[in-house]
Amino acid sequence: MGAQLRVYKRRIKSVTATKKITKAMEMISASRIVKAQRQVHASSPYADELTRAVAAVATGSNTNHPLTTETENPTRAAVLLVTSDRGLAGGYSSNAIKAADRLTEQLRSEGKEVVHYIVGRKGVAYYGFRERPVADSWTGFTDKPTYADAKSVADPLIEAVLKDTAEGGVDELHIIFTEFVSMLTQAPVEKRLLPLSLADATGGEARKEGEILPLYDFEPSAEGVLDALLPRYVESRIYNALLQGAASEHAARRRAMKSATDNAEELIKTLTRLANQARQAEITQEISEIVGGSSALADASAGSD
């Protein structure tokens, strides 16, 4: 067997092994997407209803609370970026990071200092490589987040919102995550969690003229109710964002692995064709050498006669 043919056979063996790995990863991601989608659908109603409850409390009282009160001159903003722990998911993490960079530039152009919080090893590695400061980070659960994980992320963010900016607090809280639109579409989105926009909380529905608004009584007080709802609201929103990110990560990885598997199949076909051509060339050369040797022997015999 010629050297060129051996090279082609080694490459075919290597690509075939890679194809088995990418195919297995594609099937694993495809099986996990369904569960992730169900978790997203299950968490969304709770988060939406909790947001409406917060809006009802805010509109039914005159209490100034960090949850709903706009700061007159905001100077510091926290940005929570949700990325993945693992790679091989196409542009999932890089698209979210680019969206975070755009938001950071926008906030800085408004004269605000930006404090970054990162979820996922990819985001942590990106900011670490560029020596960008990160207030806090979390890793190890991006593909299967739980409510406890969301709570661990939310606690320091809530603490930062409730603090005064002079003591290291923030005036605003933004989150960047990848929204699961469909199996083929996952888009990075930016949302401001705090202060809560009442228009967004009510779905942008305008009040009708002459509409009678409900009258609420709060126990023990409106401020006490908002204090109780603040951590639940932030935790539910972050949990929903983590679930959206997990579903998007699995979908992006399935699509990337399918593309890698298809490319491996095409490469195997090309290498097989080249190997066949090399084998045919070797056979042709061997036949030519045999014919040439036979002709030389025949000529030598005829000369001796």
Side-chain angles (χ1 to χ4, degrees):
M1 184 182 296
Q4 191 66 31
L5 185 58
R6 284 196 297 270
V7 170
Y8 286 137
K9 285 188 174 295
R10 281 198 300 267
R11 291 190 62 188
I12 290 173
K13 185 177 179 180
S14 175
V15 175
T16 301
T18 302
K19 175 188 169 184
K20 292 179 180 178
I21 296 173
T22 57
K23 184 65 176 179
M25 294 182 67
E26 175 191 349
M27 295 175 66
I28 292 172
S29 296
S31 65
R32 290 179 176 175
I33 291 174
V34 178
K35 183 178 179 180
Q37 281 182 283
R38 290 174 182 170
Q39 290 180 317
V40 170
H41 294 321
S43 70
S44 295
Y46 174 78
D48 294 339
E49 289 301 325
L50 187 56
T51 304
R52 293 190 184 96
V54 173
V57 177
T59 55
S61 66
N62 296 322
T63 303
N64 291 327
H65 194 277
L67 182 63
T68 57
T69 303
E70 296 276 356
T71 305
E72 186 175 352
N73 293 310
T75 57
R76 300 189 84 220
V79 175
L80 174 62
L81 170 62
V82 179
T83 61
S84 66
D85 286 324
R86 298 185 296 130
L88 301 177
Y92 168 76
S93 292
S94 61
N95 290 336
I97 291 172
K98 290 177 183 177
D101 288 343
R102 290 193 295 267
L103 176 61
T104 300
E105 292 299 323
Q106 177 186 339
L107 293 174
R108 286 175 178 168
S109 67
E110 297 172 358
K112 301 172 185 175
E113 179 187 354
V114 181
V115 183
H116 290 99
Y117 295 82
I118 311 294
V119 173
R121 292 190 179 94
K122 290 300 178 180
V124 172
Y126 177 87
Y127 278 72
F129 180 77
R130 287 158 181 77
E131 298 182 351
R132 297 181 182 179
V134 176
D136 206 346
S137 62
W138 302 267
T139 60
F141 55 81
T142 59
D143 58 341
K144 293 178 65 177
T146 63
Y147 196 87
D149 297 323
K151 189 177 186 306
S152 67
V153 175
D155 287 343
L157 294 172
I158 296 172
E159 183 180 353
V161 171
L162 294 177
K163 277 184 179 179
D164 189 82
T165 53
E167 300 175 354
V170 296
D171 300 312
E172 298 177 356
L173 172 58
H174 300 259
I175 183 171
I176 299 285
F177 66 97
T178 305
E179 184 179 22
F180 182 86
V181 181
S182 67
M183 294 289 287
L184 299 177
T185 306
Q186 301 86 42
V189 296
E190 179 271 324
K191 291 185 178 181
R192 193 183 74 171
L193 295 185
L194 297 175
L196 176 64
S197 172
L198 299 183
D200 294 338
T202 56
E205 298 176 357
R207 294 175 180 171
K208 299 178 182 179
E209 185 177 355
E211 180 183 2
I212 299 176
L213 299 178
L215 179 62
Y216 294 96
D217 289 329
F218 304 104
E219 291 290 345
S221 65
E223 185 175 358
V225 173
L226 288 174
D227 286 338
L229 289 178
L230 171 61
R232 300 293 177 268
Y233 164 74
V234 177
E235 290 167 8
S236 65
R237 280 301 172 187
I238 291 178
Y239 181 50
N240 184 262
L242 293 177
L243 292 177
Q244 293 268 8
S248 299
E249 178 184 349
H250 292 314
R253 183 169 291 113
R254 186 200 66 83
R255 189 168 64 250
M257 291 301 98
K258 185 180 186 308
S259 177
T261 302
D262 294 341
N263 292 337
E265 290 178 351
E266 290 297 323
L267 185 55
I268 289 172
K269 291 179 181 179
T270 301
L271 292 174
T272 301
R273 184 164 55 250
L274 293 174
N276 291 337
Q277 292 175 356
R279 185 183 297 108
Q280 290 173 359
E282 286 185 6
I283 294 172
T284 302
Q285 182 178 358
E286 290 176 358
I287 292 175
S288 298
E289 291 174 353
I290 293 172
V291 172
S294 300
S295 298
L297 288 174
D299 292 343
S301 298
S304 61
D305 292 341

